Amino acid sequence: MAAAKHPGQQGRAYDQVELEDRLRGALATLMADGTAFRDLSVARIVAGAGLARSTFYAYFDDKSALLRALSARSLRRLYEGPRGWIRRGDDATRADMALGMRQLLDAFLEDEAIMRAVAEAAVYDQTVSEAYFGGVQDYAQALARMIRAGRRSGRMRDVEPVETAEALAWMTERTVSRLAPGSSPARLDATAEAMADVFWRTLFP
């Protein structure tokens, strides 16, 4: 995540969350017109955030370190909705799933610029790629644990836990990144219902 540096070395010292929020907002503004993350210089990012370059480099080694820090928080928030019904295990209802998927879509849209930057940088930056895929895999592992428990209780279908969980996790990632941007509230509702239907029919008899 952030570089291990002393924030008081140069410039003003910031609370980590405050600093990341300012940089997150700057990226959202700078990328709103379709500008790619790789085309943004540190100078433009810090100017957009109202920060000094010395402050940026007191916390981050480079743009990759910044993106890893921002994406860690974004990925945690992204999967909070589905994790709600995953924690319920085989007591989860289809309505729980639909609600969780709608929350996931909303979380993606709130952090769309960061998620777009992460997907882009994952192609050419190994460290960002590992963080990105790690977030999806954490979600898949939680699903796999739910499936194993559901199979033991006899309330879920006898599907392969790991392979099924990974397929569902990556379906979630692709569906959200492709269908959420620019969607109306009605289309987001329909997408959430469709995703819930896939999960429900896959996991429960």
Side-chain angles (χ1 to χ4, degrees), residues 118-132:
V118 169
E120 173 204 325
V123 175
Y124 54 80
D125 187 314
Q126 183 64 29
T127 61
V128 174
S129 176
E130 290 172 358
Y132 182 39

Side-chain angles (χ1 to χ4, degrees), residues 184-199:
S184 66
R187 182 166 169 77
L188 292 173
D189 287 340
T191 300
E193 290 291 338
M195 294 169 71
D197 201 39
V198 170
F199 273 75

Side-chain angles (χ1 to χ4, degrees), residues 136-170:
V136 179
Q137 283 303 115
D138 285 346
Y139 171 47
Q141 288 167 9
L143 276 171
R145 289 192 294 271
M146 174 191 178
I147 293 170
R148 290 191 189 97
R151 285 178 54 178
R152 287 195 297 269
S153 72
R155 297 180 65 183
M156 296 180 71
R157 293 182 59 214
D158 189 21
V159 296
E160 291 296 330
V162 173
E163 290 76 11
T164 302
E166 290 182 346
L168 290 172
W170 284 104

Side-chain angles (χ1 to χ4, degrees), residues 63-81:
K63 288 199 308 177
S64 290
L66 167 65
L67 191 54
R68 290 196 301 275
L70 297 182
S71 67
R73 184 172 160 199
S74 294
L75 286 168
R76 282 196 302 272
R77 294 197 318 191
L78 183 67
Y79 293 114
E80 280 177 1

Side-chain angles (χ1 to χ4, degrees), residues 6-13 54-55 57-58:
H6 192 290
Q9 289 176 335
Q10 304 178 67
R12 174 191 157 186
S54 59
T55 299
Y57 286 114

